[in-house]
Amino acid sequence: VAEGEPGEGREPFELSRFWDALGQTFQVTSQEATKLSLAFSRPPLPSAEDCRKLSEDVQNAILAVATVYYWLPKGQGTTLRKMVRDATTEVVEGMIQLTDTILNAPVESLSQEQLISTGGVWEACEQVSNLPRDNQAAVVSALAACLGVVKDAVEEMEHALVEGQDPYGDIMEDEELGFRGNRDTYWSEADRQLLSSCMGLMKASKACLKKVLAAVKAHGKADSPEQIAQLDDLADIANEISPSVDELALSMYPPVNPLAVRLNAAKLASVLKKVLEISKTSHVCPPSEEGWVQFLSGAVDHNMNKVKNFTQGQL
């Protein structure tokens, strides 16, 4: 049987039953972590038979968590499945850490490490209640996370540009490296003209994610395989925005290499155009949403053309 796909004779998959089962297995694992930790919190040590029983219960709890995760078909959405997999992995890794801590700690008293590890398993198990319940909610969560990262990058670069002529002004002077007076730490007027267009692309990235996120919240559905796949496509391409913004931002610091800036700007523009294209052809973009898609597409082209013009004679 392929991973995560229903096997022959299995009942049709029901998302609500999956969540009930996953919540139950996470709860049992949390209880087993508590039992294990208490058993080794003070002398005397559990007997060999008790140790065997404790180990068996922990193993069964972890196997149940993994088994229920594999019930979730890929057809329910790869974005949702990845979030459930990450949560499941955290529970398993938390239990491994707790077991290692108990094996390596003296049994005279409950150690701080053991308390922290036990709490880590509890926390990981509680996360099941915060997981998105379908692929639409999962993609909303993924887009919101991307938007947060891009917002931070835009604010950081805006702050650097208005700080003055020296973007490294907050770094203390080093006599040997000679930070002060070294023109490689300053932006020229030509640099600043180029960077204003790059900032335009970065702001378009933020606007693009905000609009796509709002469209998925308003119109996104996970009722059919086609809708689920379209949402995954959106999440996948949106995940490329943040690294592309970061690469462009890094290339904007002096000394500015116009070729590197232009290449990174072109890469970001390409990703944004792809996001807009995928949005426009998906169910999250009814005719009422087409205006902002067209506007942002124009903004990306406009800023990219300005980057090309500013770098034309410098390459």
Side-chain angles (χ1 to χ4, degrees):
V1 177
E3 178 189 316
E5 298 300 333
E8 196 177 325
R10 185 180 291 178
E11 291 178 23
F13 179 82
E14 282 182 32
L15 207 47
S16 59
R17 288 179 62 189
F18 165 78
W19 287 114
D20 288 345
L22 193 71
Q24 193 176 353
T25 58
F26 273 44
Q27 187 180 3
V28 169
T29 303
S30 182
Q31 290 165 352
E32 290 305 327
T34 306
K35 275 167 54 182
L36 182 67
S37 195
L38 284 173
F40 289 90
S41 61
R42 60 186 178 276
L45 278 169
S47 66
E49 178 58 26
D50 287 341
C51 283
R52 188 193 63 75
K53 181 71 172 66
L54 281 166
S55 301
E56 202 174 272
D57 289 347
V58 166
Q59 187 177 347
N60 287 339
I62 290 297
L63 283 172
V65 165
T67 300
V68 173
Y69 157 67
Y70 281 121
W71 285 355
L72 182 62
K74 291 173 185 173
Q76 288 295 322
T78 54
T79 310
L80 176 66
R81 206 164 186 269
K82 183 182 183 303
M83 289 180 180
V84 176
R85 184 183 70 217
D86 289 347
T88 303
T89 302
E90 259 190 73
V91 170
V92 176
E93 287 177 347
M95 193 64 96
I96 291 169
Q97 188 183 352
L98 173 59
T99 308
D100 281 343
T101 303
I102 289 170
L103 288 171
N104 295 319
V107 197
E108 292 148 14
S109 64
L110 190 63
S111 69
Q112 186 66 20
E113 289 79 10
Q114 192 176 327
L115 280 170
I116 291 168
S117 296
T118 308
V121 178
W122 292 342
E123 201 175 316
C125 291
E126 282 165 13
Q127 276 189 38
V128 71
S129 60
N130 299 323
L131 285 169
R133 267 14 197 191
D134 62 20
N135 208 45
Q136 187 261 359
V139 171
V140 164
S141 174
L143 291 172
C146 292
L147 177 59
V149 176
V150 169
K151 268 184 179 173
D152 289 345
V154 171
E155 283 169 20
E156 191 179 317
M157 186 50 68
E158 280 181 323
H159 181 68
L161 283 166
V162 298
E163 275 291 277
Q165 294 300 309
D166 184 1
Y168 299 109
D170 58 343
I171 301 175
M172 290 180 67
E173 182 178 353
D174 185 306
E175 288 178 11
E176 284 184 27
L177 295 176
F179 279 129
R180 321 305 292 177
N182 179 348
R183 68 184 183 84
D184 280 353
T185 66
Y186 293 79
W187 280 308
S188 68
E189 195 49 46
D191 289 341
R192 284 181 175 273
Q193 284 185 323
L194 170 61
L195 300 192
S196 69
S197 303
C198 294
M199 280 306 303
L201 273 178
M202 289 175 71
K203 286 176 180 176
S205 305
K206 186 172 83 169
C208 186
L209 280 167
K210 277 178 80 171
K211 288 292 189 182
V212 173
L213 175 58
V216 172
K217 279 182 178 176
H219 308 291
K221 296 189 187 313
D223 300 330
S224 71
E226 187 184 12
Q227 290 169 341
I228 289 168
Q230 287 175 350
L231 289 171
D232 281 331
D233 287 344
L234 265 178
D236 289 345
I237 187 63
N239 273 332
E240 293 181 31
I241 295 179
S242 173
S244 301
V245 165
D246 286 343
E247 283 175 33
L248 177 58
L250 284 172
S251 68
M252 287 163 68
Y253 280 96
V256 173
N257 177 335
L259 176 59
V261 171
R262 180 165 169 168
L263 288 172
N264 285 320
K267 183 182 173 188
L268 176 57
S270 171
V271 170
L272 292 177
K273 295 284 278 190
K274 209 167 172 184
V275 170
L276 293 167
E277 191 182 319
I278 289 172
S279 299
K280 189 177 179 181
T281 56
S282 80
H283 71 281
V284 307
C285 194
S288 60
E289 301 285 341
E290 285 176 6
W292 64 261
V293 174
Q294 196 172 341
F295 174 80
L296 284 173
S297 184
V300 171
D301 287 338
H302 173 72
N303 284 293
M304 191 58 223
N305 285 333
K306 283 171 74 176
V307 169
K308 286 176 184 173
N309 290 337
F310 284 130
T311 55
Q312 205 64 50
Q314 302 177 52
L315 301 182

